[in-house]
Amino acid sequence: MQVDMDVQSDVLGILNAYNYWDEIAFTNWIDFNNLSTPRNALNTAYSLWHLLDWIRLDKRHAFIGQSMGDVHAHFVKECPMLGVIHDITTFGKHAKVSRSKGDVAGTNAELMGVVLYFDSAGPRSEHPSKFTVSLNDGRELDLIDVFKQIISFWDNYFKIPRPAPLAGP
């Protein structure tokens, strides 16, 4: 599939990388802080990682034309915790990680409670938990701390003023 790098993305009112950060990634982080369920953990990880897709295609960020692999390598070098959520995101989507970027050996969820929902389809539940990430070197990381480092990284990244994109040919 050929990607037209001259077309600015626009979906559901999200026009650029900063909009995605502000409207999607950061609000998923808020949701996770309010209720640390697997759903909110994965949504936060997905959006923090996939922000790279938006940055690559947003002309303000000077990554147009670079391979996705080069963009990933650049940002994982700048913020190694992005590699950790890459592995969580990939496992969450594909049920396996074939090319690790974060050296994740596994995750653990310590159940902290239950939230019940009732509707016409019957009861549903979510399970707030404390999540930890095990790395191959034996370190154990709290997922909330991994997210905090990435949130701080992206927050600082987006504080740098970027000019409006150049008009296409």
Side-chain angles (χ1 to χ4, degrees):
M1 178 169 115
Q2 182 65 33
V3 176
D4 184 350
M5 300 298 271
D6 291 324
V7 175
Q8 181 66 47
S9 299
D10 180 357
V11 62
L12 302 174
I14 306 301
L15 304 173
N16 55 49
Y18 178 78
N19 285 152
Y20 186 89
W21 158 247
D22 193 49
E23 296 278 341
I24 306 297
F26 193 80
T27 57
N28 280 332
W29 162 243
I30 291 169
D31 289 345
F32 177 79
N33 275 295
N34 289 332
L35 187 64
S36 61
T37 61
R39 172 180 56 93
N40 287 336
L42 283 172
N43 283 340
T44 302
Y46 292 153
S47 60
L48 290 173
W49 178 253
H50 288 110
L51 180 54
L52 294 172
D53 297 321
W54 284 82
I55 288 172
R56 178 175 171 250
L57 295 175
D58 187 328
K59 295 176 183 179
R60 292 173 185 88
H61 300 273
F63 291 98
I64 296 290
Q66 292 188 33
S67 74
M68 204 63 235
D70 287 345
V71 174
H72 288 172
H74 170 81
F75 282 101
V76 169
K77 182 178 178 186
E78 294 290 318
C79 179
M81 289 300 115
L82 282 168
V84 171
I85 64 158
H86 162 270
D87 291 1
I88 293 168
T89 296
T90 302
F91 192 84
K93 181 178 178 185
H94 302 288
K96 68 177 186 171
V97 177
S98 56
R99 288 177 288 193
S100 174
K101 295 183 189 302
D103 211 26
V104 172
T107 61
N108 185 52
E110 179 185 332
L111 187 63
M112 305 298 283
V114 65
V115 177
L116 298 172
Y117 304 99
F118 298 92
D119 64 19
S120 61
R124 300 281 189 260
S125 64
E126 288 192 283
H127 302 91
S129 300
K130 180 181 187 253
F131 301 102
T132 54
V133 180
S134 302
L135 302 182
N136 286 323
D137 65 7
R139 285 183 294 156
E140 296 279 326
L141 308 173
D142 286 341
L143 183 60
I144 196 164
D145 293 334
V146 172
F147 285 159
K148 283 178 182 177
Q149 287 184 45
I150 297 167
I151 292 294
S152 177
F153 172 79
W154 285 131
D155 197 40
N156 288 325
Y157 177 85
F158 283 107
K159 285 181 180 174
I160 297 169
R162 301 188 194 286
L166 301 173

